[in-house]
Amino acid sequence: QVSLAESGGGSVQAGGSLRLSCAASGSISSINAMDWYRQAPGKQRELVAAIPTGGTTNYADAVKGRFTISRDNAKNTVYLQMNSLKPEDTAVYLCNAAITTNSGYSGYYWGQGTQVTVSS
């Protein structure tokens, strides 16, 4: 069994910073891409940032230059450093990972999400 657990959300004023973490645990053989998504009330879930095992990172235009995604493969953890936060960044942030289990199953796993609220 595999699970993802996010942490680091909270409430901040506009211009502030938060650092989100997402740790994968369980019967993991390997992890490929790790991504951060967000979903605001009444809106569709959108990709915020993605980091493959190797290669370049990708960001949504709305967060370029403000957010940085990184990962620690030894800890099976992905991070999202969010700076210069804006009220429109308010959403539930969820991590997603492409994981192969020790039994050979490969699939995408989601965390339960962490709330980020930015006030003006």
Side-chain angles (χ1 to χ4, degrees), residues 7-110:
S7 61
S11 298
V12 296
Q13 290 192 327
S17 298
L18 285 172
R19 188 189 192 214
L20 306 183
S21 299
C22 173
S25 62
S27 182
I28 296 172
S29 174
S30 63
I31 302 178
N32 198 347
M34 302 186 83
D35 311 320
W36 284 99
Y37 285 76
R38 67 185 180 187
Q39 187 162 20
K43 294 187 177 181
Q44 287 189 330
R45 187 172 295 182
E46 62 175 351
L47 178 65
V48 175
I51 184 167
T53 303
T56 58
T57 55
N58 293 300
Y59 297 93
D61 287 343
V63 306
K64 282 181 180 177
R66 300 188 297 122
F67 291 11
T68 302
I69 189 171
S70 60
R71 63 191 286 173
D72 184 335
N73 291 327
K75 296 181 179 179
N76 290 337
T77 299
V78 62
Y79 305 96
L80 187 67
Q81 178 67 45
M82 305 186 295
N83 299 327
S84 301
L85 282 161
K86 304 176 180 180
E88 50 264 44
D89 295 318
T90 295
V92 174
Y93 285 71
L94 307 101
C95 68
N96 176 270
I99 295 174
T100 299
T101 67
N102 288 334
S103 63
Y105 171 78
S106 294
Y108 292 93
Y109 292 83
W110 289 92

